[in-house]
């Protein structure tokens, strides 16, 4: 049933649209273009140079953040509404409730892999022009990228399970999440590098701005955000052509395991009355 529901979601994502699956690329490409103009051109955000790729382009750097962020944000949003959207199915036949949430995330993982394939092809082409045959190094990191995707899927599934059952009991969560998601986007370093946060922290120190007399560790606070570490992992592979650091791996694994565990426990606790609440 999980497999069939996943296939159903994949087939229905862009059903009856003229461009079909091209929309999965056109939407993030439009976002990349907009933020490249705003932050890369108008605000002159400095793009970091790729460690092994030699790339030094803001549009390419932001692409490696926008695509994963779109998957994280979109998967959580879709998983959150998966139960309420299938209320009719739940009231007709019994099946494990989590299948709806899991199939939704799995269908978006399939789309995400296609998008990453396109991004990787673009990065490879750009790096070949910059460094020659050395740009082919990105192909060696495909297995690493797949592992990162699997960890990310576990992370968003955990959040999706909590929010999916939460929305059944409290519909306001769906609207509240829209506000949280906007703040989370900018707090994750999707459109600006960590160097800008470091500069802001130094500026606060130079101006003597403190929090009740204590130094404001802006960078450390920024790094508490799990999404930042997930995006760093994707950028390491796709932009730097390098292995994510040990801290990044440990942080991702810890967050994914903890969030998935909480998601499963919360879902199991409240799933019994889902149909009644619907």
């Amino acid at each position: 049933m999980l497999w069939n529901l996943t296939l159903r979601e994949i087939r229905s994502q862009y059903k009856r649209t003229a461009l079909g699956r091209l929309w999965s690329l056109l939407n993030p490409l439009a976002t990349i273009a907009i933020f490249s103009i705003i932050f890369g051109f108008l605000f002159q955000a400095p793009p970091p140079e790729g460690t092994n790729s030699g790339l030094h382009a803001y549009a390419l750097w932001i692409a490696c953040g926008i695509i994963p962020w779109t998957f994280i944000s979109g998967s959580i949003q879709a998983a959150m509404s998966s139960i309420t959207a299938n209320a009719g199915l739940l009231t007709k036949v019994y099946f494990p409730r989590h299948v709806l949430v899991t199939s939704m995330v799995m269908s978006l993982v399939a789309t995400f892999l296609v998008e990453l394939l396109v991004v990787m092809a673009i990065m490879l082409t750009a790096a070949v022009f910059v460094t020659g045959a050395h740009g082919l190094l990105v192909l060696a990191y495909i297995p690493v990228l797949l592992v990162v995707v699997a960890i990310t899927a576990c992370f968003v599934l955990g959040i999706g399970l909590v929010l999916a059952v939460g929305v059944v009991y409290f519909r306001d969560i769906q609207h509240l999440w829209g506000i949280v998601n906007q703040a989370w986007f900018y707090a994750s370093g999707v459109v600006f590098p960590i160097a800008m946060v470091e500069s802001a922290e130094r500026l606060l120190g130079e101006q003597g701005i403190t929090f009740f007399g204590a130094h404001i560790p802006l960078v450390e606070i920024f790094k508490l955000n799990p999404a930042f570490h997930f995006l760093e992992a994707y950028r390491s592979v796709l932009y730097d052509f390098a292995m994510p650091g040990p801290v990044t791996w440990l942080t991702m694994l810890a967050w994914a395991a903890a969030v998935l565990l909480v998601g499963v426990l919360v879902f199991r606790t409240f799933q019994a009355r889902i149909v009644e609440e619907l």
Side-chain angles (χ1 to χ4, degrees), residues 53 55 123-136 241:
S53 65
L55 297 173
M123 295 299 165
L124 187 152
T125 303
V128 166
F129 276 106
V130 173
T131 62
H134 189 62
L136 297 174
F241 299 176

Side-chain angles (χ1 to χ4, degrees), residues 90-143:
L90 286 169
T91 55
K92 291 177 181 177
V93 62
Y94 174 79
F95 58 91
R97 313 308 189 194
H98 73 85
V99 170
L100 292 172
V101 184
T102 307
S103 63
M104 184 64 72
V105 173
M106 288 178 62
S107 67
L108 292 174
V109 167
T111 301
F112 183 41
L113 290 174
V114 175
E115 294 171 353
L116 287 178
L117 183 63
V118 174
V119 172
M120 181 170 283
I122 293 172
M123 295 299 165
L124 187 152
T125 303
V128 166
F129 276 106
V130 173
T131 62
H134 189 62
L136 297 174
L137 182 63
V138 67
L139 298 176
Y141 290 96
I142 291 178

Side-chain angles (χ1 to χ4, degrees), residues 35-47:
F35 282 112
S36 294
I37 294 172
I38 295 174
F39 288 93
F41 180 70
L42 297 179
F43 289 95
Q44 296 292 308

Side-chain angles (χ1 to χ4, degrees), residues 32 36 58-68 119 123 190 235 238:
I32 290 166
S36 294
Y58 182 80
L60 296 179
W61 180 84
I62 196 177
C64 297
I66 287 289
I67 299 297
V119 172
M123 295 299 165
V190 181
R235 283 176 170 143
L238 295 171

